[in-house]
């Protein structure tokens, strides 16, 4: 590595001249995008705003870190090279249309800038206060940044030697090794989610319950929910995840993960064979040694035939990451009898992410899945009914049917699911009545989307029937009755001894255009 002062950009110049110049050009870029088409403007402005904040952070973090001078210098030289510099485009005040040829050039340069900024941040001690020996200078032994090769090194960050040798990853490994074994397993689940995604706490808890990570000792008074909160608290305190706060809400319902932390989690998840990943860090459906399969866009076929290396008996989790049209035509469900988590639906809150299945024949084979604990069909279209075979899932504890907009009926034998603790039918707008069997779910703790209809039906489960569920602590009711609740129903609520949260939604039969049933 060169050490001649004439060949190195001093940190004083980087902080005092180069970074301010880049910030100035990024500011001009934000102005030049002000009147662009809305979607393109939001996308570009968001990237530029992120780069702005990252550069300010880098300028502050580099103060006093003289030993980073040579490595940082090589990266900043790339930012100043004509073929990579953004100045040529950002200096032009003229607007350009989304279909303009310069857009691709602009996006390409933003990608380069993004990768270089990631590399600069890798040189900085962990921003999440990870374990670091501050008495010793930050060592970059064995990591050489050649300006001609650095862009190649930046690609596929997760499994690159540059990332593996970085202080950020080494700091993270120390933190990971300090975690309790249960917390480690819970953390590795984050590896399947794309970068910068906000993950619902409820989804994670249900997944962890399904995998068996959250099973408090029999002699412990701590509930599973309390155990889960302890996991989130430990991961937050150690900088592994970040809570996402919503306006006017003090309770945290979601979390996200810093991109660099996510890269480190992916590396370790592959090391310990928690998931299989391709060269770009995307989870795969290969469960030959991970026992977990992920459905990705265009590669959802769980083909088990003619694969001697795949033992279906060992598959424990199937998780749909982003496959819109999951195909189970070649799946022999009778060979997946040990699956505990089957998450086929939508895991995020974006309703415009469409998922549908061609038919529901695969449900028939699910009767063999006697160890299934968590099953989600959230947001899947073209499911009009659930077959009775679903009621043979004797170990099922969590059933998520929310936002299945075409679902019209529930199986009458649903009361056979004796272990069920969570049943979510919210946003199932075509459901008109509840089967009597729901009142037989003696372990039920959470019931969402319960229907109170405006006409009498002797085969429907009533509010009075629900009072038999002594463990029910959360209930969400949908009704079209204007006079609900009547006096006798208010008296009936007093019989719900464990109920802690009650939500009632009144509505008619009108369906917004976006959720009209398929014809």
């Amino acid at each position: 590595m060169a050490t001649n002062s004439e060949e190195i950009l001093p940190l004083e110049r980087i902080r005092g001249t180069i970074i301010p110049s880049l910030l100035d050009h990024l500011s001009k870029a934000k102005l030049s995008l002000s009147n662009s088409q809305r979607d393109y403007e939001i996308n570009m402005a968001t990237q530029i705003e992120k780069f702005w904040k990252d550069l300010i952070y880098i300028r502050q973090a580099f103060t006093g870190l003289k030993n980073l001078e040579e490595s940082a210098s090589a990266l900043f030289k790339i930012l100043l090279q004509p073929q990579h510099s953004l100045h040529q485009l950002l200096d032009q005040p003229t607007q350009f249309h989304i279909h303009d040829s310069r857009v691709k050039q602009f996006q390409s340069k933003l990608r380069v800038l993004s990768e270089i900024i990631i590399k600069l941040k890798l040189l900085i001690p962990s921003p999440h206060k990870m374990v670091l020996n501050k008495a010793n200078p930050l060592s970059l032994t064995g990591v050489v940044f050649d300006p001609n090769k650095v862009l190649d090194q930046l690609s596929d960050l997760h499994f690159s030697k540059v990332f593996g040798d970085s202080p950020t990853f080494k700091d993270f490994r120390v933190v990971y090794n300090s975690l309790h074994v249960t917390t480690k397993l819970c953390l590795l689940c984050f590896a399947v989610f794309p970068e910068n995604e906000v993950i619902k706490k409820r989804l994670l808890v249900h997944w962890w319950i399904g995998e068996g990570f959250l099973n408090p000792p029999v002699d412990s008074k701590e509930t599973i929910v309390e155990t889960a909160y302890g996991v989130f608290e430990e991961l937050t305190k150690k900088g592994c995840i970040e809570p996402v706060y919503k306006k006017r809400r003090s309770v945290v319902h979601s979390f996200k993960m810093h991109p660099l932390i996510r890269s480190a989690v992916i590396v370790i998840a592959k090391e310990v064979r928690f998931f299989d990943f391709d060269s770009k860090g995307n989870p795969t459906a290969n469960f030959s040694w991970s026992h977990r399969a992920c459905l990705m866009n265009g590669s959802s076929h769980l083909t088990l035939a003619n694969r001697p290396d795949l033992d279906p008996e060992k598959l424990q989790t199937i998780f749909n990451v982003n496959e819109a049209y999951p195909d189970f035509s070649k799946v022999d469900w009778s060979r997946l009898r040990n699956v505990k988590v089957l998450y086929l639906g939508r895991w995020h809150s974006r309703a415009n992410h469409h998922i549908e299945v061609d038919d529901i024949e695969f449900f028939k084979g699910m009767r063999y899945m006697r160890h299934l604990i968590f099953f989600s069909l959230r947001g899947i279209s073209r499911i009009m009914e659930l077959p009775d075979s679903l009621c043979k899932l004797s170990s099922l504890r969590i059933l998520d049917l929310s936002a299945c907009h075409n679902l019209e009926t529930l199986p009458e034998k649903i009361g056979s699911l004796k272990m069920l603790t969570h049943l979510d039918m919210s946003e199932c707008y075509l459901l008109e009545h509840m089967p009597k069997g729901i009142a037989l779910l003696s372990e039920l703790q959470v019931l969402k989307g319960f229907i109170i209809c405006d006409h009498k039906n002797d085969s429907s489960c009533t509010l009075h029937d629900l009072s038999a569920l002594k463990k029910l602590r959360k209930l969400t009711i949908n009704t079209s009755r204007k006079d609900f609740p009547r006096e006798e129903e208010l008296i009936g609520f007093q019989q719900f001894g464990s109920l802690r949260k009650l939500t009632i939604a009144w509505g008619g039969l009108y369906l917004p255009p976006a959720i009209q049933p398929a014809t």
Side-chain angles (χ1 to χ4, degrees), residues 322-382:
N322 61 4
E323 176 54 66
Y325 302 95
D327 179 12
F328 305 110
S329 60
K330 299 180 180 179
V331 175
D332 182 358
W333 294 94
S334 66
R335 303 179 66 192
L336 300 177
R337 59 184 72 246
N338 291 318
V339 171
K340 297 179 180 179
V341 175
L342 183 59
Y343 200 100
L344 304 180
R346 189 179 70 236
W347 52 266
H348 49 68
S349 58
R350 296 188 295 277
N352 60 348
H353 182 185
H354 182 75
I355 304 178
E356 72 172 55
V357 291
D358 288 335
D359 57 60
I360 59 171
E361 288 299 313
F362 72 91
F363 279 129
K364 297 179 180 179
M366 290 184 61
R367 64 182 181 273
Y368 301 103
M369 304 176 74
R370 300 299 178 88
H371 297 285
L372 188 63
I373 295 174
F374 177 26
F375 181 34
S376 174
L377 296 171
R378 181 174 184 250
I380 299 183
S381 300
R382 302 185 66 180

Side-chain angles (χ1 to χ4, degrees), residues 8 54 59 82 106-107 176 200 203 279 340 354 362 378 380 510:
I8 293 177
D54 283 342
R59 180 178 60 182
F106 186 79
Q107 291 175 329
Y176 175 81
K200 291 283 188 181
L203 160 63
S279 60
K340 297 179 180 179
H354 182 75
F362 72 91
R378 181 174 184 250
I380 299 183
Y510 169 74

Side-chain angles (χ1 to χ4, degrees), residues 231 259 272 300 335 416 495:
V231 171
V272 300
S300 65
R335 303 179 66 192
S416 301
Q495 301 178 37

